[in-house]
Amino acid sequence: MLTKVYRAEAIIKPMSAEQTMGLMQGLVLGGGSGPWSSLMGSQYNASAAEEDLTILGSYTFLTNLAKKHHMEAQIVGHVKLRSGADRSWMVYRILSSRFSNKYSIASGNLTLTYLDKNRQRAAKVLGWEISDLRQIVRAREVRNASAAASSLEPQVKNVSDTLLARQVYA
């Protein structure tokens, strides 16, 4: 007898840090017009996709996803295991077999797929995967922006042009 398996799929186009900064700069400086907007809209940094794929397939990401959304019991069931580490490893192995994440060089898109016996759960888990990845990327970008801003502070103090120094903080 064949078991029905449902596939939830999402296609996303993640942005590199350079693209994010370019779009923010376009919004602040003029609504995204000019050469930056076309460059940022059409070009994609493949290393950002590789980083996202690495995060999505990692042990830490998948086990945290299961813990955060209380999925461990559904995934592993009532199997008796020797330790919590065995349980985490089993959760990781099962989730990594259900997730498929691929990057297309031609389109610059990430295709994220999750398989489950329940249609609604498949869609919900895929949504959690995207949301959790988004939180990780957002936190990383905030850290990077803070580091960049704090590295500029000593330089701004040495600028003799007060108008320029004020514009940096505006």
Side-chain angles (χ1 to χ4, degrees), residues 73-90:
Q74 292 173 344
I75 293 168
V76 177
H78 300 290
V79 176
K80 298 287 183 193
L81 298 168
R82 289 178 284 187
S83 70
D86 289 344
R87 185 175 190 82
S88 292
W89 181 248
M90 187 177 222

mmCIF file of all heavy atoms in Angstrom, residues 73-90:
data_model
loop_
_atom_site.group_PDB
_atom_site.id
_atom_site.type_symbol
_atom_site.label_atom_id
_atom_site.label_comp_id
_atom_site.label_asym_id
_atom_site.label_seq_id
_atom_site.Cartn_x
_atom_site.Cartn_y
_atom_site.Cartn_z
ATOM 1 N N ALA A 73 7.935 15.290 19.091
ATOM 2 C CA ALA A 73 7.085 14.121 19.349
ATOM 3 C C ALA A 73 6.416 13.633 18.063
ATOM 4 O O ALA A 73 6.294 12.430 17.844
ATOM 5 C CB ALA A 73 6.034 14.455 20.398
ATOM 6 N N GLN A 74 5.997 14.563 17.204
ATOM 7 C CA GLN A 74 5.383 14.175 15.931
ATOM 8 C C GLN A 74 6.397 13.505 15.011
ATOM 9 O O GLN A 74 6.056 12.594 14.272
ATOM 10 C CB GLN A 74 4.815 15.402 15.202
ATOM 11 C CG GLN A 74 3.640 16.036 15.874
ATOM 12 C CD GLN A 74 3.246 17.332 15.172
ATOM 13 O OE1 GLN A 74 3.997 17.887 14.389
ATOM 14 N NE2 GLN A 74 2.047 17.808 15.472
ATOM 15 N N ILE A 75 7.620 13.958 15.057
ATOM 16 C CA ILE A 75 8.631 13.455 14.142
ATOM 17 C C ILE A 75 9.144 12.085 14.583
ATOM 18 O O ILE A 75 9.169 11.142 13.806
ATOM 19 C CB ILE A 75 9.812 14.449 14.040
ATOM 20 C CG1 ILE A 75 9.339 15.727 13.372
ATOM 21 C CG2 ILE A 75 10.979 13.856 13.276
ATOM 22 C CD1 ILE A 75 10.314 16.859 13.480
ATOM 23 N N VAL A 76 9.537 11.971 15.833
ATOM 24 C CA VAL A 76 10.151 10.755 16.334
ATOM 25 C C VAL A 76 9.104 9.766 16.846
ATOM 26 O O VAL A 76 9.298 8.561 16.773
ATOM 27 C CB VAL A 76 11.178 11.088 17.445
ATOM 28 C CG1 VAL A 76 11.779 9.840 18.031
ATOM 29 C CG2 VAL A 76 12.256 12.001 16.913
ATOM 30 N N GLY A 77 7.995 10.285 17.345
ATOM 31 C CA GLY A 77 6.980 9.410 17.924
ATOM 32 C C GLY A 77 7.383 8.991 19.324
ATOM 33 O O GLY A 77 8.051 9.723 20.046
ATOM 34 N N HIS A 78 7.020 7.789 19.698
ATOM 35 C CA HIS A 78 7.279 7.302 21.053
ATOM 36 C C HIS A 78 8.396 6.267 21.077
ATOM 37 O O HIS A 78 8.362 5.318 21.844
ATOM 38 C CB HIS A 78 5.989 6.723 21.649
ATOM 39 C CG HIS A 78 4.893 7.734 21.726
ATOM 40 N ND1 HIS A 78 4.925 8.787 22.604
ATOM 41 C CD2 HIS A 78 3.752 7.869 21.008
ATOM 42 C CE1 HIS A 78 3.842 9.521 22.445
ATOM 43 N NE2 HIS A 78 3.112 8.993 21.476
ATOM 44 N N VAL A 79 9.383 6.471 20.244
ATOM 45 C CA VAL A 79 10.527 5.563 20.189
ATOM 46 C C VAL A 79 11.392 5.784 21.426
ATOM 47 O O VAL A 79 11.690 6.919 21.801
ATOM 48 C CB VAL A 79 11.358 5.822 18.905
ATOM 49 C CG1 VAL A 79 12.596 4.962 18.870
ATOM 50 C CG2 VAL A 79 10.508 5.614 17.677
ATOM 51 N N LYS A 80 11.770 4.698 22.073
ATOM 52 C CA LYS A 80 12.651 4.781 23.250
ATOM 53 C C LYS A 80 14.093 4.885 22.778
ATOM 54 O O LYS A 80 14.575 4.041 22.035
ATOM 55 C CB LYS A 80 12.494 3.539 24.135
ATOM 56 C CG LYS A 80 11.116 3.363 24.708
ATOM 57 C CD LYS A 80 10.878 4.365 25.796
ATOM 58 C CE LYS A 80 9.493 4.107 26.398
ATOM 59 N NZ LYS A 80 9.061 5.183 27.220
ATOM 60 N N LEU A 81 14.750 5.948 23.200
ATOM 61 C CA LEU A 81 16.146 6.167 22.823
ATOM 62 C C LEU A 81 17.000 6.257 24.076
ATOM 63 O O LEU A 81 16.507 6.574 25.163
ATOM 64 C CB LEU A 81 16.277 7.439 21.994
ATOM 65 C CG LEU A 81 15.516 7.426 20.661
ATOM 66 C CD1 LEU A 81 15.473 8.805 20.074
ATOM 67 C CD2 LEU A 81 16.161 6.454 19.700
ATOM 68 N N ARG A 82 18.298 6.004 23.919
ATOM 69 C CA ARG A 82 19.200 5.987 25.074
ATOM 70 C C ARG A 82 19.411 7.361 25.684
ATOM 71 O O ARG A 82 19.549 7.506 26.888
ATOM 72 C CB ARG A 82 20.541 5.394 24.676
ATOM 73 C CG ARG A 82 20.475 3.904 24.421
ATOM 74 C CD ARG A 82 21.805 3.413 23.984
ATOM 75 N NE ARG A 82 21.957 3.838 22.587
ATOM 76 C CZ ARG A 82 22.928 3.498 21.798
ATOM 77 N NH1 ARG A 82 23.888 2.746 22.254
ATOM 78 N NH2 ARG A 82 22.976 3.901 20.556
ATOM 79 N N SER A 83 19.441 8.392 24.861
ATOM 80 C CA SER A 83 19.751 9.729 25.393
ATOM 81 C C SER A 83 19.067 10.809 24.567
ATOM 82 O O SER A 83 18.535 10.556 23.487
ATOM 83 C CB SER A 83 21.261 9.954 25.386
ATOM 84 O OG SER A 83 21.713 10.082 24.051
ATOM 85 N N GLY A 84 19.124 12.021 25.111
ATOM 86 C CA GLY A 84 18.581 13.169 24.388
ATOM 87 C C GLY A 84 19.348 13.458 23.111
ATOM 88 O O GLY A 84 18.800 13.925 22.130
ATOM 89 N N ALA A 85 20.664 13.156 23.138
ATOM 90 C CA ALA A 85 21.477 13.362 21.940
ATOM 91 C C ALA A 85 21.031 12.410 20.831
ATOM 92 O O ALA A 85 20.986 12.796 19.657
ATOM 93 C CB ALA A 85 22.954 13.160 22.255
ATOM 94 N N ASP A 86 20.692 11.177 21.198
ATOM 95 C CA ASP A 86 20.178 10.225 20.202
ATOM 96 C C ASP A 86 18.874 10.731 19.599
ATOM 97 O O ASP A 86 18.645 10.613 18.403
ATOM 98 C CB ASP A 86 19.948 8.849 20.830
ATOM 99 C CG ASP A 86 21.240 8.122 21.158
ATOM 100 O OD1 ASP A 86 22.293 8.527 20.635
ATOM 101 O OD2 ASP A 86 21.173 7.146 21.931
ATOM 102 N N ARG A 87 18.016 11.287 20.452
ATOM 103 C CA ARG A 87 16.727 11.819 19.998
ATOM 104 C C ARG A 87 16.953 12.996 19.037
ATOM 105 O O ARG A 87 16.322 13.065 17.995
ATOM 106 C CB ARG A 87 15.886 12.236 21.189
ATOM 107 C CG ARG A 87 14.485 12.686 20.834
ATOM 108 C CD ARG A 87 13.690 12.971 22.109
ATOM 109 N NE ARG A 87 12.304 13.171 21.823
ATOM 110 C CZ ARG A 87 11.411 12.202 21.641
ATOM 111 N NH1 ARG A 87 11.780 10.953 21.709
ATOM 112 N NH2 ARG A 87 10.150 12.487 21.386
ATOM 113 N N SER A 88 17.849 13.895 19.395
ATOM 114 C CA SER A 88 18.148 15.050 18.533
ATOM 115 C C SER A 88 18.703 14.599 17.186
ATOM 116 O O SER A 88 18.362 15.152 16.146
ATOM 117 C CB SER A 88 19.143 15.988 19.207
ATOM 118 O OG SER A 88 18.555 16.605 20.315
ATOM 119 N N TRP A 89 19.589 13.599 17.228
ATOM 120 C CA TRP A 89 20.164 13.099 15.986
ATOM 121 C C TRP A 89 19.077 12.479 15.104
ATOM 122 O O TRP A 89 19.064 12.667 13.895
ATOM 123 C CB TRP A 89 21.277 12.105 16.279
ATOM 124 C CG TRP A 89 21.933 11.581 15.046
ATOM 125 C CD1 TRP A 89 21.877 10.306 14.568
ATOM 126 C CD2 TRP A 89 22.719 12.323 14.099
ATOM 127 N NE1 TRP A 89 22.590 10.203 13.392
ATOM 128 C CE2 TRP A 89 23.118 11.436 13.092
ATOM 129 C CE3 TRP A 89 23.131 13.647 14.022
ATOM 130 C CZ2 TRP A 89 23.896 11.821 12.015
ATOM 131 C CZ3 TRP A 89 23.913 14.031 12.956
ATOM 132 C CH2 TRP A 89 24.292 13.133 11.964
ATOM 133 N N MET A 90 18.147 11.755 15.719
ATOM 134 C CA MET A 90 17.051 11.147 14.961
ATOM 135 C C MET A 90 16.154 12.229 14.358
ATOM 136 O O MET A 90 15.740 12.119 13.204
ATOM 137 C CB MET A 90 16.241 10.210 15.854
ATOM 138 C CG MET A 90 15.199 9.417 15.130
ATOM 139 S SD MET A 90 14.399 8.290 16.288
ATOM 140 C CE MET A 90 14.316 6.848 15.251
#
